[in-house]
Amino acid sequence: AVETCGYANSDILRAAVPFADLFLFDVKDTDCLRHKQYTGVSNESILNNLTLINSMKARIRFRCILVKGINTKDTHYAN
């Protein structure tokens, strides 16, 4: 299994797909502005990497750490 938040060079993830039975993919936030506010980086490359490994038919299990008042609001799940 590969445990990742997806913030990595896409070539590395692409190379890992054939060798991994499962990707444990941490999704902190799908909203770019909130993601940058709370993590310091954009989620654009993260979501692009997720799309990439999904297009390669990787088996993916999403994980999300819940932080009260930040990503437990209904608006978080609307994206």
Side-chain angles (χ1 to χ4, degrees), residues 7-21:
Y7 191 69
N9 181 300
S10 59
D11 291 336
I12 293 170
L13 289 175
R14 183 182 294 109
V17 169
F19 301 101
D21 294 323

Side-chain angles (χ1 to χ4, degrees), residues 41-76:
V41 298
S42 168
N43 66 355
E44 183 178 5
S45 66
I46 294 167
L47 296 177
N48 287 341
N49 282 334
L50 176 59
T51 300
L52 169 69
I53 66 170
N54 185 59
S55 73
M56 295 178 70
K57 307 295 186 214
R59 187 168 158 232
I60 304 166
R61 175 158 297 154
F62 293 106
R63 302 182 318 168
C64 182
I65 298 169
L66 300 177
V67 181
K68 186 175 182 179
I70 294 175
N71 65 354
T72 57
K73 299 175 184 175
D74 289 343
T75 54
H76 175 79

Side-chain angles (χ1 to χ4, degrees), residues 1-6 13 20 22-26 63:
V2 174
E3 184 174 359
T4 184
C5 69
L13 289 175
L22 175 66
F23 281 80
L24 301 171
F25 207 102
D26 291 342
R63 302 182 318 168

